[in-house]
Amino acid sequence: MFTGIITHLGSVVKKKSDTLVIRIPDDFHKKVKVGTSVSVNGICLTVTKIETRHFLTFNFMPETSKKTNIQYLQPGDIVNLELPVTTDTLFAGHIVQGHIDGTAVTTSIEPEGNSRIFRFNVHKNLSKYMIDKGSVGVNGISLTIIEAGKDFFTVGIIPHTWKHTMLHTAKVGDVVNVEVDILAKYVEKLTSHY
């Protein structure tokens, strides 16, 4: 489990049909070992190999490739990294499982005051779980929804988030990973027979 508070950035070194190699910062290396779960752009992946202190290797399944933007990653792309929650973690975001529900497409990035407003087009099978001022995970980042429409949602990005996540490399047309609030899915399941 994660909180959606991005702690580090990595970069894609190599990607094959079922393997991803990420370059990581020195201080991140000290916190992982083979078998550690890491959120990579919001996707919960398991470290399968550590090649020196600068490279981590992850394997992923065909289902992961189909459901996430991992299929579009290219060498040099910047990715968000987060380690799993521990008993000492400050729970500053929201409950993020690292189980991506689907993707959305970035349709606009507009400056507004000290922030940037991102608009994403999303399928209605995901938008039904979204509400104004609710939580959403976008590439693993815990964000607050400004407006939730039938086929879109918007979020505001403050300067700190812009600088310390991969969003500073974002452009219109980018595909992002989306994880909706797990509580909304549980409520739907529990009340579906009423």
Side-chain angles (χ1 to χ4, degrees), residues 14 22 70 179:
K14 181 170 39 176
I22 301 289
I70 203 168
E179 181 179 338

Side-chain angles (χ1 to χ4, degrees), residues 100-150:
I100 302 303
D101 294 299
T103 58
V105 177
T106 309
T107 56
S108 67
I109 305 169
E110 299 293 337
E112 184 176 288
N114 70 341
S115 64
R116 290 170 175 84
I117 306 300
F118 277 65
R119 181 181 170 119
F120 301 100
N121 277 5
V122 65
H123 194 276
K124 63 182 179 180
N125 68 344
L126 295 183
S127 66
K128 67 180 182 177
Y129 298 111
M130 298 179 183
I131 60 169
D132 294 2
K133 308 310 178 208
S135 297
V136 66
V138 174
N139 277 358
I141 309 164
S142 175
L143 295 171
T144 301
I145 297 167
I146 295 174
E147 183 181 3
K150 289 184 179 179

Side-chain angles (χ1 to χ4, degrees), residues 28-42:
F28 195 80
H29 169 264
K30 299 171 187 174
K31 302 171 183 177
V32 296
K33 59 184 179 180
V34 171
T36 299
S37 293
V38 175
S39 172
V40 179
N41 271 359

Side-chain angles (χ1 to χ4, degrees), residues 8-80:
H8 294 79
L9 294 175
S11 61
V12 176
V13 175
K14 181 170 39 176
K15 189 193 72 176
K16 296 182 180 176
S17 61
D18 61 358
T19 307
L20 184 66
V21 180
I22 301 289
R23 178 186 293 274
I24 56 169
D26 283 347
D27 60 331
F28 195 80
H29 169 264
K30 299 171 187 174
K31 302 171 183 177
V32 296
K33 59 184 179 180
V34 171
T36 299
S37 293
V38 175
S39 172
V40 179
N41 271 359
I43 310 164
C44 181
L45 298 175
T46 301
V47 176
T48 55
K49 186 177 179 183
I50 300 175
E51 302 179 43
T52 76
R53 64 183 188 175
H54 296 294
F55 303 98
L56 296 181
T57 298
F58 305 90
N59 293 132
F60 57 90
M61 301 182 294
E63 175 72 4
T64 304
S65 186
K66 285 187 287 187
K67 278 278 177 94
T68 73
N69 69 3
I70 203 168
Q71 61 188 296
Y72 304 114
L73 289 178
Q74 298 293 325
D77 285 351
I78 304 300
V79 293
N80 295 323

